[in-house]
Amino acid sequence: MTAWTSSAPPEALPSTPQEVRVDPVPPPVPPVGVRRLLRSRLVIASAVALGLLVAACIAAPLWAAAVAGTSPERTNASPDDTVVVDGEERSVLADDGRPIGPTWGRRFFLGADDEGRDVMVRLLYGGRASLAIGIGAALLTALLAVPLGLVAGYLRGPIDAVVTWALDVIWAFPVVLLGVALGVALALGGLKIGPIEIAGGSRLIPLLVIAVVYIPYMARPIRAQVRSLAEREFVEAARAQGAGPVRIMVAELLPNLTSTIVALVPLLMANAILLEAALSFLGAGVQPPDPSLGTMLRDGIERLTTAPHATLVPGLALVAAVLSINLLGDGVREALEGDAVADGS
Amino acid sequence: MVRFMLRRLLAMVLVLLAVSVVVFLIFNVIPNGDPAARMAGKQATATQVEAIRREWGFDEPIWVQYATTMRKVFTGDLISYTNRLDVDEEILRGLPATLSLAIGAAVIWMVLGVAFGAFAALRAGRLADRAISVLALVGISVPVFWLGALMSHYLGFRAGIFPSGGYEPLTRDPLGWAYHLVLPWTALALLFVGLYSRVLRASVLDGLRQPYVETARAKGLSERRVLVGHVLKNSLIPIVSLWGLDFAVVLGGGAILTESVFDLDGVGQFAADAIAQLDAPPVLAVTLLGAFFVVLLGAVVDIVHAALDARVRVT
Amino acid sequence: MRAVVRATYYIALRVSFRRSKLCKAARPPANSAQPPIVISRPEPPLTMRTKTIKALAVSLALAVAPALAACGEREPTSGGPASITIGLSAQPDALDPALSYAPEAWESLWLVYTPLLTYRHAEGEAGTELIPGLAEDLPTISDDGKTYTLRLREGLEYSDGTPVKASDFEHAIQRVLNLESPGTPFFTGIVGAEDYVERGKPKADIEGIETDDDTGEITITLTKPDGTFSNVLAMNFAGLVPGDTPFEDLTKTPPPGVGPYELTDSEPNREFVLERNDSFDLPGIPRGQIDRITATIVKDPRRATEDVISGRLDYIVDPPVPDQLAEVRERYGDRFKEFTTISTYYFFLNSRIEPFDDPKVREAVNYAIDKRAIARLFGGLMAPTCNFFPPGLPGYQRLDPCPWGDPNAAPDQERARELIREAGAEGAEVTVWGNNEPEPERVTEYYADVLNQIGLDAKPKVIDSSVYFQTVGNERTEAQTGFANFFQDFPHPANFMTVVDGDAIQPTNNSNFGNVDDPEINAGIDRLSKEPDLRAVKDQWAQLDRQLVEDAWLAPYGNRMLTTFMSERMDFDRCSLVHPLYQNDYTSFCLK
């Protein structure tokens, strides 16, 4: 029904599926694309950056235990909590609560936050949470959206009508509002679906919320593509050979959607990480005391004047992570689409 | 065409209905979200809570409560549970700020997006194109609330070049209005400029490959006329459609983070405050308004598109 | 550091006090809130009140007139009537005396709707003294303590000229009860009040209130004696409004009242305006000095502070955020002060649920928390304390030595760990509840961390502040421990004791979050609350406070400090009176 499947929901997440949608018949993945992907220095750089970020986050417990000797939740608010900087003993929090800035030493390498917690340690653990939620949410979205798009696009009829309508409903919500409302409600009460029970403070809650919010951004382009693919000869041929709808969807249509999915998933990841930050910033995402880049921003912004590091550090890390994913995704997409003009130089 | 429009209209109403039910349900499952207990205050007695429950109809079956609330949305009797503000009135009061933010930012991102996109397409593959494409990616990778907070803090509070926040009504002081909105416009538009320039670049490049370009060139038209008169004109169709949808989202309280960071006191901030206080009526009303804009402009875009493109009408 | 701040604060106070004295010596007192007569007189015993008040009335009437004239004469330098703009961070819950239960609104409302009784406009303990407002005198209380008789002053008029009638009092209370105001619980002790609420009919009679418009006599009958009822009569909820005031929230069109100011304009969520009520003239209550006070809502607290620095705002109700405090203290110390409110911040320890049912665990918590650390989490705006009663509350007697160690020194975590071991509570799972306002959230996370350090397995649970108290006050939540605070509704120890009264425990909307239920304390509260003469039983109240702390029923840690921050054009030194109950007193404000 709707030709235009893409609006960029503001603030958290411009998503650009239309670039994919424009081309209803994806060209076969050219081997030349992969080679070009590897040739682009920018893509390689961003892949390396992302790899480093992930590695650093995985190593979080190592830094916490071996270098800083603390945990991400450990507060240091008392006047007796001190750290030695340049041979001088200094309080982690000043009398008025102002946290210490980067010491570039083992403890408080990147300074403390407004409760006297080690920002570096929180950054590593927080980055871990943010990346995990972003990647997990994007994958879950794909897992839910692809079957929906396939079924709706191929079967048409009432099933299509219901699915499309449901997608329209999610679509119509202001994203942040829906995310926050769901996040707050679930954080308070937890979630119970049959035998599965998720506690309110669990990180699975923001993951789930984000995944649901983004379903239409993936399901709609997939559905549109399936519709046009369904009219093509190879599907007709399969049907003539007596293949059932499930078989056609899985064996014939799905492989043809790969490039679309591969192009969309990085975008979703980037946006999911941004949305996590927005939700946590508003208190509806990751619950305290667990760190995430969003909760760190929420804490840090309270101290923007006296301790800018508490805002700048998680913010820059967030931009670095999202940007490297976006660059990588962009490279992948270009390689898949074979942008001849861009390659023409 | 009329049937198509009627169908769209019905679909719109159904979507809005579902949106309202979802919001209503979300607020009803919040544990201890009982508005009666909240309104009664910290030391309330059971009688008092009961009286409130009776008076405000919180003891009715949930579908009755839903019906009453929805009726109130349209009669303008909806009252906030935390400070008893008239919800519809507050939304109307916030609209000028929200409209100003949305329109201004939309114009900026459209103009800059088209300019950068066209430029990038012409320089496709060269350094300028690469630079624009990376900058565009940077633009969509920066969380707007973080950027906004930094802008407001460093350019507003610290440097004092711009006001750090607040809204000045256009009618009272046009210059002050624009001055107060420069930072929010920039912060919000930055996000979309990147996106739009990329969309436009893609569709210009796509257009350049179309046969009619060769035809036009063959007719001896200058490269500039070909570009502006044909390619760009055609490339604008998707971007204008996109623009309509994004504008609707920003307008419908979608810019809640930007509004809050800059303290614009618009519809979005009203919703943000309400949601922070788990105040169901304002959230319901603002969500409906936002959804209405999204659905309406979505339908407009579709209808316009259907008129332009017969293929769409068939589906 | 705590000590340093407090010292500077007291020095600042003393300096400003001395300066104001100098000013007064130089010319008639511009600040009529502190007439020299009041200060020089010793506190009269209750029975002598009448005479004193009358004497005061005469002398004030004589003193105020020239004082105001003098003020008026100085005015032309600034040109035209004096008007200021003040900032609030949010729309208050209501601007209707019957409905508002928020300190930031009370700060304005007590100047607009004077109840039958009110408090002296003075700092410190003097400000906790009840004085007649619209009543001629303090109430006559029957021997059984159940009947209160008052007489309305003659010839009173509301700001719109409507004459004040005795029956308006009953109407005001009816509005509170009928609108299900948060103030309802204070008045349900009146005979027939519960019935009235249940019937839900606005025009029904409240049995226990009899009024006579001709004589101005008002008689209130209570179901049982209540020593705090005079204080209840002085609450804003009981502020008089005309008898035809409708039974609805009048925030948008505030009704007239009797007071130094009138609310002339109210645009919810944007601004409201207090204009000086020139016809106002009541003994003991100063008239305003500023002609027009516009209160605007500035949602961003940072911007509000910046606006005071730059002079766009003349005063802000909320303190600057911790991030800005250092700068304000350092650079604008000449127009900024901090004061301690009569409030207590504490952690409730649910004595009905493991592990806090074991007194040893509760003691451990009291040993373990570092009150200096918590003060820092509040940006320094928290004065560490040992008592549950805050300083300034009648009945407060500093616990010295504090059973859990000096609140201004390092805690004894070793001892705490030991106690946890002894109690066999090592590794016990604890959910620490807190709300998401910036300071409580920080404190909750800190507290959970402390519990982990002494051997428990704690995890904070931070929920929205709008549902926080009803959540932890619901027995089904089974909240083990968490953040709590209490600001006085009126200066009476019984008011504080409502949150630790075992007889007041209820399954929902419970404000005794820790289910403190000590028969001895319950009996004490019951007995002392009935006593009309608070002064006589102060020591016994102090004893209850001591018992509460020594038995570790809860873990109090501090008294919240608030601030006065004014623009440069305000006369900060002479005209910034801080009232113990209503904080900054706008009638004291004046321009340089």
Side-chain angles (χ1 to χ4, degrees):
Chain A
M1 190 150 74
T2 316
W4 296 100
T5 50
S6 150
S7 128
E11 309 207 307
L13 46 92
S15 80
T16 50
Q18 80 289 337
E19 284 180 44
V20 181
R21 183 207 55 80
V22 164
D23 194 1
V25 189
V29 180
V32 61
V34 177
R35 240 180 287 140
R36 198 177 46 206
L37 184 65
L38 292 175
R39 259 208 331 256
S40 163
R41 264 170 297 175
L42 208 55
V43 171
I44 291 173
S46 57
V48 170
L50 190 63
L52 283 177
L53 280 175
V54 171
C57 291
I58 290 173
L62 205 65
W63 177 282
V67 183
T70 185
S71 74
E73 293 88 19
R74 182 60 191 266
T75 61
N76 296 278
S78 160
D80 306 330
D81 293 322
T82 54
V83 56
V84 177
V85 188
D86 299 335
E88 189 192 338
E89 192 168 340
R90 289 177 57 195
S91 222
V92 177
L93 288 194
D95 288 345
D96 62 358
R98 171 195 344 211
I100 195 168
T103 63
W104 310 118
R106 292 162 70 100
R107 297 179 63 215
F108 303 101
F109 180 73
L110 289 174
D113 74 357
D114 58 350
E115 290 170 37
R117 297 176 295 201
D118 192 317
V119 168
M120 181 64 182
V121 173
R122 277 181 83 71
L123 182 73
L124 294 175
Y125 276 95
R128 197 146 95 143
S130 289
L131 285 175
I133 290 175
I135 293 169
L139 294 180
L140 185 60
T141 302
L143 210 64
L144 295 170
V146 171
L148 277 177
L150 259 176
V151 168
Y154 183 71
L155 296 183
R156 308 210 175 187
I159 294 180
D160 181 28
V162 169
V163 171
T164 311
W165 175 75
L167 294 179
D168 280 349
V169 170
I170 302 180
W171 180 267
F173 268 101
V175 169
V176 178
L177 271 184
L178 176 63
V180 174
L182 275 175
V184 169
L186 295 177
L188 274 173
L191 185 66
K192 228 176 172 176
I193 317 172
I196 308 164
E197 201 171 322
I198 305 176
S202 166
R203 278 174 217 150
L204 284 176
I205 299 246
L207 190 150
L208 216 67
V209 168
I210 294 169
V212 168
V213 166
Y214 278 136
I215 288 178
Y217 295 83
M218 185 149 193
R220 293 173 85 166
I222 298 243
R223 172 183 166 273
Q225 201 183 346
V226 168
R227 286 185 75 130
S228 73
L229 282 174
E231 281 162 20
R232 307 217 331 161
E233 302 84 22
F234 68 95
V235 178
E236 296 286 342
R239 207 176 293 142
Q241 284 167 16
V246 176
R247 210 198 126 84
I248 291 180
M249 280 191 273
V250 175
E252 305 293 334
L253 293 172
L254 194 57
N256 277 290
L257 294 173
T258 329
S259 61
T260 306
I261 297 170
V262 169
L264 273 174
V265 165
L267 257 177
L268 278 176
M269 283 180 187
N271 289 338
I273 293 174
L274 284 175
L275 186 56
E276 180 280 321
L279 292 184
S280 299
F281 183 71
L282 292 170
V286 173
Q287 295 301 305
D290 295 342
S292 84
L293 297 179
T295 55
M296 289 182 74
L297 282 175
R298 174 184 163 88
D299 294 338
I301 219 109
E302 305 272 344
R303 280 283 176 187
L304 197 47
T305 309
T306 47
H309 65 272
T311 310
L312 292 176
V313 165
L316 289 174
L318 185 61
V319 174
V322 175
L323 185 61
S324 56
I325 292 178
N326 269 332
L327 280 169
L328 201 60
D330 205 45
V332 170
R333 202 157 42 242
E334 238 175 51
L336 287 175
E337 283 172 8
D339 188 340
V341 182
D343 201 30
S345 51
Chain B
M1 192 69 197
V2 174
R3 257 195 65 197
F4 177 73
M5 285 172 80
L6 278 179
R7 241 177 55 199
R8 287 289 330 197
L9 199 71
L10 183 72
M12 266 175 68
V13 172
L14 279 177
V15 166
L16 289 180
L17 199 72
V19 166
S20 65
V21 170
V22 170
V23 179
F24 193 80
L25 284 181
I26 288 178
F27 277 94
N28 259 284
V29 300
I30 293 178
N32 293 298
D34 180 1
R38 180 181 341 164
M39 287 158 98
K42 214 165 138 182
Q43 303 166 15
T45 60
T47 350
Q48 188 193 351
V49 177
E50 269 319 304
I52 294 183
R53 198 164 283 144
R54 215 168 42 231
E55 188 157 317
W56 289 69
F58 298 139
D59 53 348
E60 309 252 21
I62 186 159
W63 60 272
V64 177
Q65 287 191 47
Y66 170 76
T68 334
T69 312
M70 288 310 289
R71 203 192 58 237
K72 284 184 179 168
V73 170
F74 294 103
T75 54
D77 295 329
L78 206 58
I79 303 286
S80 135
Y81 295 153
T82 44
N83 43 20
R84 307 190 190 213
L85 289 172
D86 186 317
V87 172
D88 293 8
E89 222 169 75
E90 283 303 306
I91 289 178
L92 281 180
R93 216 176 51 88
L95 265 182
T98 303
L99 271 173
S100 305
L101 174 68
I103 294 175
V107 168
I108 292 175
W109 86 57
M110 186 71 176
V111 171
L112 291 184
V114 168
F116 284 135
F119 186 72
L122 291 183
R123 294 270 189 289
R126 288 191 229 164
L127 188 66
D129 176 32
R130 289 281 170 211
I132 288 179
S133 124
V134 170
L135 281 180
L137 284 176
V138 173
I140 62 172
S141 302
V142 178
V144 68
F145 58 91
W146 181 69
L147 183 70
L150 293 185
M151 281 166 85
S152 144
H153 187 74
Y154 288 106
L155 300 177
F157 281 143
R158 293 290 123 187
I161 306 170
F162 293 101
S164 53
Y167 174 71
E168 186 75 36
L170 177 63
T171 44
R172 196 159 67 194
D173 177 9
L175 263 179
W177 170 79
Y179 187 44
H180 273 81
L181 282 164
V182 170
L183 289 185
W185 279 340
T186 315
L188 187 56
L190 208 65
L191 184 78
F192 292 95
V193 170
L195 175 65
Y196 277 52
S197 65
R198 289 166 61 80
V199 175
L200 193 87
R201 174 183 176 278
S203 87
V204 166
L205 287 180
D206 196 39
L208 282 172
R209 277 183 234 134
Q210 300 297 321
Y212 68 83
V213 174
E214 281 314 309
T215 320
R217 280 191 183 133
K219 275 198 284 182
L221 291 178
S222 74
E223 194 63 11
R224 229 187 101 179
R225 294 255 331 249
V226 171
L227 201 76
V228 176
H230 290 79
V231 177
L232 197 58
K233 219 171 88 185
N234 280 318
S235 306
L236 280 179
I237 297 175
I239 212 168
V240 168
S241 311
L242 196 62
W243 191 72
L245 298 176
D246 288 337
F247 181 67
V249 173
V250 174
L251 198 58
I256 77 176
L257 288 163
T258 313
E259 283 190 18
S260 304
V261 165
F262 290 102
D263 194 19
L264 287 178
D265 210 5
V267 177
Q269 192 174 359
F270 178 56
D273 291 351
I275 216 159
Q277 296 162 330
L278 297 178
D279 193 359
V283 177
L284 180 68
V286 175
T287 308
L288 268 181
L289 183 78
F292 173 73
F293 280 127
V294 171
V295 172
L296 180 78
L297 279 168
V300 169
V301 166
D302 266 9
I303 289 167
V304 169
H305 221 75
L308 287 176
D309 186 345
R311 279 172 304 169
V312 180
R313 205 181 309 157
V314 181
T315 67
Chain C
M1 101 91 205
R2 196 50 293 117
V4 177
V5 168
R6 294 195 65 176
T8 16
Y9 161 57
Y10 284 126
I11 291 166
L13 254 188
R14 233 172 276 141
V15 170
S16 74
F17 185 60
R18 226 176 280 142
R19 274 192 215 163
S20 68
K21 263 190 177 165
L22 281 176
C23 290
K24 271 173 205 142
R27 58 192 145 73
N31 184 352
S32 48
Q34 289 173 308
I37 316 157
V38 179
I39 293 167
S40 60
R41 254 165 223 267
E43 292 264 39
L46 264 169
T47 44
M48 273 183 62
R49 278 267 170 82
T50 325
K51 276 186 208 159
T52 322
I53 299 295
K54 273 180 188 157
L56 192 67
V58 176
S59 45
L60 253 182
L62 291 174
V64 160
L68 285 172
C71 267
E73 274 165 22
R74 286 187 301 116
E75 218 67 287
T77 47
S78 55
S83 52
I84 60 170
T85 309
I86 67 177
L88 270 82
S89 64
Q91 167 73 9
D93 56 348
L95 274 180
D96 184 316
L99 284 169
S100 177
Y101 194 15
E104 64 273 21
W106 280 11
E107 205 167 291
S108 293
L109 291 178
W110 85 301
L111 306 177
V112 179
Y113 303 100
T114 310
L116 294 173
L117 306 177
T118 188
Y119 295 93
R120 189 172 297 295
H121 287 241
E123 296 202 333
E125 208 187 326
T128 64
E129 186 198 343
L130 274 174
I131 59 169
L134 300 194
E136 273 183 350
D137 209 336
L138 292 176
T140 315
I141 306 167
S142 65
D143 289 340
D144 65 356
K146 287 192 195 169
T147 310
Y148 283 64
T149 314
L150 302 105
R151 190 183 297 274
L152 196 68
R153 289 179 202 273
E154 275 173 36
L156 286 175
E157 280 181 0
Y158 290 104
S159 54
D160 67 344
T162 315
V164 181
K165 293 179 297 185
S167 56
D168 295 352
F169 171 74
E170 183 167 4
H171 184 74
I173 305 302
Q174 283 172 334
R175 288 188 78 237
V176 173
L177 299 179
N178 185 257
L179 294 173
E180 289 101 15
S181 152
T184 307
F186 297 106
F187 301 92
T188 42
I190 300 174
V191 171
E194 290 267 8
D195 273 0
Y196 178 87
V197 175
E198 248 166 89
R199 259 181 297 168
K201 278 193 218 134
K203 282 293 162 199
D205 178 56
I206 303 174
E207 219 177 294
I209 303 180
E210 291 307 324
T211 58
D212 186 336
D213 285 345
D214 297 330
T215 61
E217 198 165 276
I218 298 167
T219 313
I220 306 151
T221 319
L222 305 180
T223 51
K224 58 172 198 251
D226 177 3
T228 67
F229 193 69
S230 293
N231 295 100
V232 170
L233 285 175
M235 291 184 91
N236 277 312
F237 295 117
L240 263 65
V241 289
D244 57 358
T245 309
F247 286 88
E248 55 187 70
D249 178 2
L250 293 179
T251 297
K252 275 189 250 175
T253 50
V258 187
Y261 282 93
E262 56 181 311
L263 261 170
T264 52
D265 198 11
S266 166
E267 201 188 324
N269 223 358
R270 183 133 295 186
E271 65 172 41
F272 59 89
V273 177
L274 295 170
E275 264 181 77
R276 192 167 63 181
N277 177 4
D278 287 325
S279 65
F280 176 77
D281 183 15
L282 277 186
I285 303 174
R287 298 162 47 114
Q289 303 183 61
I290 300 290
D291 297 282
R292 190 182 158 90
I293 301 174
T294 308
T296 62
I297 314 288
V298 181
K299 290 192 174 142
D300 183 347
R302 256 167 217 281
R303 197 151 65 81
T305 304
E306 296 283 334
D307 284 350
V308 176
I309 292 173
S310 69
R312 282 165 54 110
L313 288 175
D314 293 303
Y315 159 81
I316 40 173
V317 173
D318 298 272
V321 293
D323 199 17
Q324 290 168 309
L325 266 176
E327 187 193 347
V328 172
R329 278 177 188 140
E330 236 164 72
R331 295 176 56 185
Y332 308 101
D334 56 336
R335 47 188 167 110
F336 173 78
K337 69 180 171 194
E338 298 167 27
F339 56 87
T340 309
T341 59
I342 304 190
S343 63
T344 301
Y345 280 58
Y346 61 100
F347 297 121
F348 67 85
L349 306 165
N350 197 333
S351 56
R352 284 188 184 170
I353 301 178
E354 276 188 358
F356 300 103
D357 54 344
D358 187 333
K360 284 203 176 95
V361 177
R362 301 202 300 266
E363 284 170 27
V365 171
N366 273 291
Y367 275 120
I369 52 177
D370 189 335
K371 296 167 183 177
R372 304 164 305 164
I374 297 179
R376 289 169 171 222
L377 298 179
F378 277 85
L381 289 180
M382 177 67 66
T385 192
C386 178
N387 295 56
F388 173 62
F389 283 175
L393 186 78
Y396 169 79
Q397 279 170 15
R398 187 160 171 236
L399 285 171
D400 197 17
C402 179
W404 316 114
D406 182 354
N408 283 301
D412 190 351
Q413 295 206 341
E414 214 25 71
R415 179 103 186 77
R417 266 187 285 271
E418 223 167 86
L419 281 164
I420 295 286
R421 265 197 302 273
E422 279 173 32
E426 276 173 306
E429 281 184 30
V430 176
T431 302
V432 179
W433 293 78
N435 71 44
N436 64 355
E437 309 263 339
E439 284 88 5
E441 181 170 330
R442 283 198 283 270
V443 170
T444 308
E445 292 181 49
Y446 161 79
Y447 176 39
D449 185 39
V450 167
L451 294 186
N452 282 327
Q453 288 176 42
I454 61 171
L456 299 171
D457 179 11
K459 196 151 172 59
K461 172 128 182 131
V462 174
I463 65 171
D464 197 88
S465 56
S466 57
V467 292
Y468 178 67
F469 288 112
Q470 74 192 56
T471 301
V472 292
N474 187 327
E475 70 179 0
R476 275 184 307 173
T477 307
E478 298 191 335
Q480 290 163 295
T481 183
F483 170 87
N485 61 357
F486 193 82
F487 280 81
Q488 65 174 358
D489 298 306
F490 42 75
H492 196 294
N495 182 228
F496 264 81
M497 283 300 192
T498 50
V499 298
V500 290
D501 185 353
D503 297 336
I505 295 173
Q506 47 187 26
T508 59
N509 285 70
N510 184 13
S511 56
N512 185 349
F513 308 121
N515 292 312
V516 179
D517 195 1
D518 179 330
E520 233 177 284
I521 294 179
N522 296 348
I525 296 172
D526 205 37
R527 183 168 46 82
L528 298 176
S529 295
K530 288 179 186 149
E531 188 59 54
D533 185 4
L534 179 55
R535 239 169 289 260
V537 289
K538 261 187 187 171
D539 292 348
Q540 296 178 52
W541 280 114
Q543 188 50 42
L544 289 186
D545 181 25
R546 168 180 293 274
Q547 195 172 340
L548 204 57
V549 173
E550 278 177 352
D551 291 351
W553 284 108
L554 35 65
Y557 53 80
N559 312 114
R560 182 73 160 125
M561 296 168 77
L562 291 176
T563 63
T564 310
F565 187 31
M566 290 180 165
S567 70
E568 227 162 350
R569 67 191 195 112
M570 300 282 284
D571 193 339
F572 178 81
D573 293 334
R574 280 195 309 129
C575 301
S576 59
L577 186 145
V578 176
H579 190 266
L581 181 53
Y582 297 108
Q583 330 299 358
N584 289 283
D585 182 349
Y586 303 165
T587 60
S588 76
F589 287 7
C590 70
L591 295 174
K592 272 179 187 158

